[in-house]
Amino acid sequence: MQQINKKKKANTLAEVMIALIIIGVVGAITVPVLKKHAQREETITKLKKGLMSMEQFIDAAILDQGDIMSGMDTKWDMDKLFTKYMVPEMQLARDCSDPDAGESSKCFPSTVYTMDGSTSNIQVNSSVVLMDGVAIGNSGMDFYIDINSTNEPNVDGVDVFHYTFENVGRNEAINEPGDWKFVPQGYSKQIADNSWKITYW
């Protein structure tokens, strides 16, 4: 009788060990997947906030300065769209928007990388850091959102995203002025086209 009990104990211990091994294997597979999912969700949330902020700054500037378009002629000095119209509407944690000061790299990374590790062609002349830590960089009509300012990884499509400010729907033939919008480019467009989901990393 005693021998049978010992055998049952040994079997139970083996079963527990197998169960622990299975749990370990499942954990090793699922934890990285869950972590990546959480990182993607956080990236999307911050990107949406950055884009919404840019749209709000333009709307506020239009309230203060008047509409961008007057008939088919642009009323605003579009070369200074960011510094003259948008920045004054912002509450900032850090202001690096003066292109003559050469301090943009204090708000926005001076070097941005591509997914394969090479240097991208992204360069900004002016930049700011918003109160929530999101940075906006500008070069002409090109706008970049860096969801974590100068912090790494500074990679296009991972924490840096590109938009252009464009007139959408303009048609001079019928005197249709169109609508000025931030239009997603590159990875930002992939995300927008994929219902605000990241699937490429």
Side-chain angles (χ1 to χ4, degrees), residues 10 44 64 73 77 86 93 95 110 115 121 130 146 160 163 165 167 188:
I44 291 297
D64 290 343
D73 301 316
D77 179 356
M86 292 178 69
D95 186 351
S110 55
M115 292 278 193
N121 60 359
L130 305 178
D146 189 325
V160 179
Y163 290 81
F165 194 59
N167 189 299
S188 302

Side-chain angles (χ1 to χ4, degrees), residues 78-136:
M78 298 307 264
D79 291 335
K80 296 179 180 175
L81 172 68
F82 185 64
T83 55
K84 186 176 178 180
Y85 302 109
M86 292 178 69
V87 172
E89 305 294 342
M90 301 177 181
Q91 290 185 337
L92 301 174
R94 193 177 306 142
D95 186 351
C96 310
S97 62
D98 182 359
D100 297 326
E103 295 185 336
S104 185
S105 61
K106 291 181 179 178
C107 294
F108 196 92
S110 55
T111 304
V112 177
Y113 299 95
T114 63
M115 292 278 193
D116 64 9
S118 58
T119 304
S120 79
N121 60 359
I122 294 173
Q123 290 185 337
V124 303
N125 303 322
S126 303
S127 58
V128 296
V129 179
L130 305 178
M131 297 302 285
D132 60 6
V134 172
I136 298 174

Side-chain angles (χ1 to χ4, degrees), residues 42-87:
E42 184 182 7
T43 298
I44 291 297
T45 299
K46 290 182 177 179
L47 178 57
K48 281 182 176 179
K49 283 176 73 175
L51 179 58
M52 193 180 300
S53 294
M54 291 200 303
E55 290 169 344
Q56 287 171 348
F57 301 142
I58 283 291
D59 290 343
I62 288 170
L63 283 174
D64 290 343
Q65 305 291 332
D67 203 349
I68 298 172
M69 303 297 289
S70 175
M72 294 309 295
D73 301 316
T74 303
K75 287 166 54 178
W76 292 13
D77 179 356
M78 298 307 264
D79 291 335
K80 296 179 180 175
L81 172 68
F82 185 64
T83 55
K84 186 176 178 180
Y85 302 109
M86 292 178 69
V87 172

Side-chain angles (χ1 to χ4, degrees), residues 136-186:
I136 298 174
N138 170 252
S139 180
M141 303 296 266
D142 290 294
F143 288 80
Y144 301 92
I145 296 172
D146 189 325
I147 63 168
N148 58 1
S149 185
T150 56
N151 296 325
E152 293 183 347
N154 302 326
V155 173
D156 183 21
V158 176
D159 61 340
V160 179
F161 300 90
H162 182 198
Y163 290 81
T164 54
F165 194 59
E166 298 178 16
N167 189 299
V168 178
R170 181 170 180 163
N171 189 334
E172 294 186 24
I174 59 171
N175 200 32
E176 173 60 54
D179 191 16
W180 287 92
K181 294 182 178 180
F182 290 101
V183 178
Q185 305 295 322

Side-chain angles (χ1 to χ4, degrees), residues 34-47:
L34 292 173
K35 187 177 177 184
K36 184 179 276 192
H37 177 74
Q39 287 174 334
R40 286 173 173 170
E41 290 298 311
E42 184 182 7
T43 298
I44 291 297
T45 299
K46 290 182 177 179
L47 178 57

